Amino acid sequence: MRVQSLTLAAASAALLAPTTSPAIEHAAARTEPVVRREGAVLAADLLARVRTCEPVSHGRYRSDDGTAATIPVCGTRDAVFWKADMDIDCDGRPGSHCNRRTDPLFSDATAFEQSDGRYLSAENLPYIVVPAPSQIWDYREHGVRGGAVAAVVYGDRVQYAVVGDVGPGQIIGEASYATAKALGIRPDPRGGGTPSGVTYIVFRNTQVKPIEDHAAAVVTGERLAKQFVQDKPLPPRHTFR
């Protein structure tokens, strides 16, 4: 997590090999992030579906320490969502981009572990961060758990991800290095991210197993997103392997 989001577990190491979808669009310059375009559901359709907010949180979150609490968690029958900034989570198993040298706030742990017991790799796995349970909101009471499927929208881009880490109970708006990079957001943990314009949609009662299977998150996320924009009810429970 960033300074705004402290992880809930302890150490591990080694690098997780990336799994990418077939549709990858590389940025023109080597210094720019790689932008993945996953699936056929349009960002505009997802944003239209979450245009109005029925709050499920009992209060509002801050985007960063010292900012006003203005961000509610909203809910529909099939999803919860929030609109916020994106801070860069570089925690988990260290690699060439996420380590104590590149990130002074680096933690080698994530709240959830992959199937072999090691912590997640923020460099390689697109995941998002949810706030720790608090009086504001408890994600566990709304069908959200580690491995829950999420659609992250930024501009005209949609990136599918999983819930992979937990942050502090007062702040919202954070995702892994890999999520930011795939969306064309600067993923540098030292001042990267974006101050606004990110929509996080988490589908209730879903879970990718194993959590590190990004290909499964893309396939199932696309299917859920299609149902979501068509306002079709989801079956009571989804567990994807």
Side-chain angles (χ1 to χ4, degrees):
M1 307 280 131
R2 311 302 337 118
V3 67
Q4 303 97 318
S5 39
L6 307 174
T7 40
L8 307 179
S12 186
L15 185 62
L16 178 67
T19 302
T20 59
S21 79
I24 299 178
E25 182 177 313
H26 292 279
R30 292 173 59 90
T31 56
E32 294 180 358
V34 174
V35 178
R36 301 175 187 173
R37 301 192 184 274
E38 296 183 324
V41 177
L42 298 178
D45 291 337
L46 284 167
L47 293 177
R49 183 68 175 82
V50 297
R51 184 175 293 122
T52 60
C53 174
E54 181 178 337
V56 295
S57 58
H58 300 294
R60 300 191 174 209
Y61 287 97
R62 304 176 188 277
S63 60
D64 294 293
D65 285 329
T67 62
T70 61
I71 304 168
V73 175
C74 311
T76 71
R77 176 185 54 213
D78 301 319
V80 294
F81 64 92
W82 54 93
K83 301 176 182 182
D85 64 339
M86 181 181 287
D87 296 319
I88 307 302
D89 186 336
C90 221
D91 295 339
R93 303 201 344 259
S96 58
H97 298 290
C98 292
N99 54 60
R100 288 190 174 85
R101 178 181 55 81
T102 61
D103 182 1
L105 303 173
F106 177 77
S107 169
D108 56 6
T110 50
F112 304 107
E113 300 174 359
Q114 61 182 44
S115 56
D116 61 4
R118 295 184 296 171
Y119 294 114
L120 307 181
S121 169
E123 283 190 22
N124 296 301
L125 182 66
Y127 68 74
I128 68 168
V129 180
V130 293
S134 70
Q135 292 182 346
I136 300 175
W137 182 58
D138 185 340
Y139 65 88
R140 301 169 300 183
E141 296 178 356
H142 293 266
V144 178
R145 72 198 81 184
V149 182
V152 188
V153 184
Y154 179 67
D156 63 350
R157 299 165 184 166
V158 179
Q159 171 69 20
Y160 295 106
V162 292
V163 172
D165 212 349
V166 174
Q170 308 296 318
I171 293 172
I172 204 166
E174 185 175 7
S176 68
Y177 180 104
T179 306
K181 182 178 179 181
L183 288 169
I185 295 170
R186 183 171 171 245
D188 185 357
R190 294 177 180 261
T194 184
S196 63
V198 183
T199 300
Y200 303 78
I201 303 168
V202 184
F203 299 107
R204 298 178 188 256
N205 302 313
T206 63
Q207 190 173 38
V208 170
K209 290 185 178 182
I211 192 173
E212 67 270 22
D213 188 348
H214 179 59
V218 173
V219 170
T220 56
E222 175 77 356
R223 173 151 41 96
L224 296 174
K226 286 179 180 177
Q227 293 175 312
F228 185 64
V229 299
Q230 294 168 4
D231 197 23
K232 292 181 178 179
L234 302 180
R237 184 182 182 87
H238 288 261
T239 298
F240 302 104
R241 299 178 182 273

